[in-house]
Amino acid sequence: MIAGHFGLAAAVKARRPNVPLYGLMLATAWLDIVFVPLLLTGAEGLSKAPDAQAAGYGAAFIHAWYTHSLLGALVLSAIFGAFFAPRYGRSAAVVVGAVAFSHWLLDLIVHRPDLPLLPANAFNLPLLGLGLWRYPLVSAGLELLIVLTGFGLYWQAAVAANRRAAKSVSLAHAIGGAALAAGIVVLAIDFLSPG
């Protein structure tokens, strides 16, 4: 669900033009950005899901015991949002924090049960995940829908903003089209990757 996260951020930008796009795009990847150093140190990890048909798209259990726990995601999202408050205001900070947390919600839909409620799966509570990745075509279809909708809304909003400002819409079309194409390419690479 890489491209889907970015598609959601683009949809939010379409509705909240005062929030910086770079902040929304970073926010949607924030949990994974923090995950990488923990993965490299062995504090979090990956393993192939036993029910996966092959390596590749959605074929892993992601042992993100801290970054992708419900509590960890809430704390990391609040920290990320708070970073934006001084420069962009409280409203933008809340939006950016909510987009950061949307990562966990989208992951909940696609992940196999590997999302803990508490960091390090404290108290050994049940792991969450609806497991849509078990059905790669359905999961990729949902992600494609998010990409098309999100970047389509962004494209439409960019063109409308340029028209209101009496500016040329050519640049808005170019950026909107490029962003949509990039989202589709990222999804295709993720889906077709051998693992």
Side-chain angles (χ1 to χ4, degrees), residues 126-143:
L127 298 173
L128 304 177
L130 300 177
L132 195 59
W133 272 343
R134 289 185 182 106
Y135 312 99
L137 287 176
V138 175
S139 178
L142 173 63
E143 192 168 0

mmCIF file of all heavy atoms in Angstrom, residues 126-143:
data_model
loop_
_atom_site.group_PDB
_atom_site.id
_atom_site.type_symbol
_atom_site.label_atom_id
_atom_site.label_comp_id
_atom_site.label_asym_id
_atom_site.label_seq_id
_atom_site.Cartn_x
_atom_site.Cartn_y
_atom_site.Cartn_z
ATOM 1 N N PRO A 126 -4.220 -9.474 20.841
ATOM 2 C CA PRO A 126 -4.349 -9.950 19.456
ATOM 3 C C PRO A 126 -3.774 -8.948 18.458
ATOM 4 O O PRO A 126 -3.909 -7.739 18.630
ATOM 5 C CB PRO A 126 -5.864 -10.079 19.267
ATOM 6 C CG PRO A 126 -6.433 -10.150 20.635
ATOM 7 C CD PRO A 126 -5.505 -9.373 21.522
ATOM 8 N N LEU A 127 -3.140 -9.480 17.431
ATOM 9 C CA LEU A 127 -2.608 -8.649 16.355
ATOM 10 C C LEU A 127 -3.736 -8.364 15.363
ATOM 11 O O LEU A 127 -4.605 -9.214 15.133
ATOM 12 C CB LEU A 127 -1.445 -9.351 15.664
ATOM 13 C CG LEU A 127 -0.232 -9.641 16.559
ATOM 14 C CD1 LEU A 127 0.785 -10.489 15.806
ATOM 15 C CD2 LEU A 127 0.401 -8.342 17.036
ATOM 16 N N LEU A 128 -3.700 -7.179 14.786
ATOM 17 C CA LEU A 128 -4.766 -6.751 13.886
ATOM 18 C C LEU A 128 -4.299 -6.743 12.442
ATOM 19 O O LEU A 128 -3.124 -6.580 12.159
ATOM 20 C CB LEU A 128 -5.240 -5.352 14.279
ATOM 21 C CG LEU A 128 -5.717 -5.173 15.715
ATOM 22 C CD1 LEU A 128 -6.091 -3.719 15.959
ATOM 23 C CD2 LEU A 128 -6.878 -6.092 16.019
ATOM 24 N N GLY A 129 -5.252 -6.870 11.548
ATOM 25 C CA GLY A 129 -5.006 -6.813 10.111
ATOM 26 C C GLY A 129 -6.105 -7.590 9.415
ATOM 27 O O GLY A 129 -6.350 -8.747 9.750
ATOM 28 N N LEU A 130 -6.783 -6.957 8.469
ATOM 29 C CA LEU A 130 -7.891 -7.606 7.777
ATOM 30 C C LEU A 130 -7.422 -8.535 6.664
ATOM 31 O O LEU A 130 -8.190 -9.332 6.163
ATOM 32 C CB LEU A 130 -8.863 -6.557 7.244
ATOM 33 C CG LEU A 130 -9.482 -5.656 8.325
ATOM 34 C CD1 LEU A 130 -10.372 -4.606 7.703
ATOM 35 C CD2 LEU A 130 -10.228 -6.484 9.357
ATOM 36 N N GLY A 131 -6.166 -8.421 6.252
ATOM 37 C CA GLY A 131 -5.561 -9.411 5.363
ATOM 38 C C GLY A 131 -5.910 -9.325 3.899
ATOM 39 O O GLY A 131 -5.836 -10.331 3.189
ATOM 40 N N LEU A 132 -6.258 -8.150 3.403
ATOM 41 C CA LEU A 132 -6.592 -8.045 1.984
ATOM 42 C C LEU A 132 -5.420 -8.419 1.079
ATOM 43 O O LEU A 132 -5.611 -8.813 -0.066
ATOM 44 C CB LEU A 132 -7.097 -6.629 1.665
ATOM 45 C CG LEU A 132 -7.813 -6.455 0.337
ATOM 46 C CD1 LEU A 132 -9.045 -7.355 0.250
ATOM 47 C CD2 LEU A 132 -8.215 -5.005 0.132
ATOM 48 N N TRP A 133 -4.190 -8.350 1.609
ATOM 49 C CA TRP A 133 -3.034 -8.753 0.807
ATOM 50 C C TRP A 133 -3.076 -10.242 0.435
ATOM 51 O O TRP A 133 -2.357 -10.671 -0.460
ATOM 52 C CB TRP A 133 -1.735 -8.450 1.553
ATOM 53 C CG TRP A 133 -1.210 -7.082 1.312
ATOM 54 C CD1 TRP A 133 -1.532 -6.214 0.311
ATOM 55 C CD2 TRP A 133 -0.231 -6.420 2.103
ATOM 56 N NE1 TRP A 133 -0.819 -5.059 0.431
ATOM 57 C CE2 TRP A 133 -0.005 -5.147 1.532
ATOM 58 C CE3 TRP A 133 0.484 -6.773 3.241
ATOM 59 C CZ2 TRP A 133 0.896 -4.241 2.049
ATOM 60 C CZ3 TRP A 133 1.386 -5.859 3.761
ATOM 61 C CH2 TRP A 133 1.583 -4.608 3.171
ATOM 62 N N ARG A 134 -3.905 -11.004 1.085
ATOM 63 C CA ARG A 134 -4.052 -12.414 0.693
ATOM 64 C C ARG A 134 -4.633 -12.527 -0.713
ATOM 65 O O ARG A 134 -4.564 -13.576 -1.338
ATOM 66 C CB ARG A 134 -4.955 -13.147 1.690
ATOM 67 C CG ARG A 134 -4.341 -13.378 3.025
ATOM 68 C CD ARG A 134 -5.284 -14.216 3.900
ATOM 69 N NE ARG A 134 -4.723 -14.405 5.198
ATOM 70 C CZ ARG A 134 -5.137 -13.776 6.314
ATOM 71 N NH1 ARG A 134 -6.141 -12.918 6.251
ATOM 72 N NH2 ARG A 134 -4.580 -14.003 7.466
ATOM 73 N N TYR A 135 -5.256 -11.469 -1.154
ATOM 74 C CA TYR A 135 -5.885 -11.398 -2.478
ATOM 75 C C TYR A 135 -5.224 -10.251 -3.245
ATOM 76 O O TYR A 135 -5.768 -9.148 -3.340
ATOM 77 C CB TYR A 135 -7.394 -11.164 -2.335
ATOM 78 C CG TYR A 135 -8.016 -12.110 -1.337
ATOM 79 C CD1 TYR A 135 -8.269 -11.684 -0.030
ATOM 80 C CD2 TYR A 135 -8.301 -13.424 -1.682
ATOM 81 C CE1 TYR A 135 -8.818 -12.553 0.896
ATOM 82 C CE2 TYR A 135 -8.841 -14.300 -0.756
ATOM 83 C CZ TYR A 135 -9.094 -13.851 0.530
ATOM 84 O OH TYR A 135 -9.622 -14.713 1.449
ATOM 85 N N PRO A 136 -4.036 -10.503 -3.797
ATOM 86 C CA PRO A 136 -3.249 -9.423 -4.396
ATOM 87 C C PRO A 136 -3.984 -8.603 -5.461
ATOM 88 O O PRO A 136 -3.841 -7.384 -5.500
ATOM 89 C CB PRO A 136 -2.036 -10.139 -4.988
ATOM 90 C CG PRO A 136 -1.909 -11.392 -4.198
ATOM 91 C CD PRO A 136 -3.312 -11.779 -3.842
ATOM 92 N N LEU A 137 -4.766 -9.233 -6.304
ATOM 93 C CA LEU A 137 -5.468 -8.469 -7.346
ATOM 94 C C LEU A 137 -6.516 -7.542 -6.745
ATOM 95 O O LEU A 137 -6.675 -6.400 -7.186
ATOM 96 C CB LEU A 137 -6.106 -9.414 -8.367
ATOM 97 C CG LEU A 137 -5.135 -10.097 -9.327
ATOM 98 C CD1 LEU A 137 -5.862 -11.090 -10.228
ATOM 99 C CD2 LEU A 137 -4.395 -9.071 -10.171
ATOM 100 N N VAL A 138 -7.226 -8.023 -5.735
ATOM 101 C CA VAL A 138 -8.237 -7.185 -5.073
ATOM 102 C C VAL A 138 -7.550 -6.039 -4.338
ATOM 103 O O VAL A 138 -7.976 -4.881 -4.425
ATOM 104 C CB VAL A 138 -9.105 -8.026 -4.109
ATOM 105 C CG1 VAL A 138 -10.064 -7.147 -3.325
ATOM 106 C CG2 VAL A 138 -9.857 -9.110 -4.870
ATOM 107 N N SER A 139 -6.489 -6.351 -3.629
ATOM 108 C CA SER A 139 -5.743 -5.332 -2.895
ATOM 109 C C SER A 139 -5.169 -4.285 -3.838
ATOM 110 O O SER A 139 -5.276 -3.075 -3.595
ATOM 111 C CB SER A 139 -4.615 -5.992 -2.089
ATOM 112 O OG SER A 139 -3.862 -5.033 -1.413
ATOM 113 N N ALA A 140 -4.562 -4.731 -4.929
ATOM 114 C CA ALA A 140 -4.007 -3.794 -5.912
ATOM 115 C C ALA A 140 -5.120 -2.982 -6.563
ATOM 116 O O ALA A 140 -4.932 -1.791 -6.846
ATOM 117 C CB ALA A 140 -3.200 -4.551 -6.962
ATOM 118 N N GLY A 141 -6.268 -3.598 -6.769
ATOM 119 C CA GLY A 141 -7.413 -2.863 -7.326
ATOM 120 C C GLY A 141 -7.880 -1.752 -6.398
ATOM 121 O O GLY A 141 -8.167 -0.632 -6.841
ATOM 122 N N LEU A 142 -7.954 -2.058 -5.108
ATOM 123 C CA LEU A 142 -8.320 -1.039 -4.126
ATOM 124 C C LEU A 142 -7.280 0.078 -4.110
ATOM 125 O O LEU A 142 -7.624 1.265 -4.102
ATOM 126 C CB LEU A 142 -8.449 -1.653 -2.727
ATOM 127 C CG LEU A 142 -8.659 -0.650 -1.589
ATOM 128 C CD1 LEU A 142 -9.974 0.103 -1.756
ATOM 129 C CD2 LEU A 142 -8.605 -1.360 -0.241
ATOM 130 N N GLU A 143 -6.003 -0.309 -4.125
ATOM 131 C CA GLU A 143 -4.943 0.697 -4.116
ATOM 132 C C GLU A 143 -5.003 1.556 -5.376
ATOM 133 O O GLU A 143 -4.835 2.778 -5.315
ATOM 134 C CB GLU A 143 -3.581 0.015 -3.979
ATOM 135 C CG GLU A 143 -2.469 0.969 -3.673
ATOM 136 C CD GLU A 143 -1.181 0.283 -3.243
ATOM 137 O OE1 GLU A 143 -1.106 -0.956 -3.171
ATOM 138 O OE2 GLU A 143 -0.217 1.034 -2.986
#
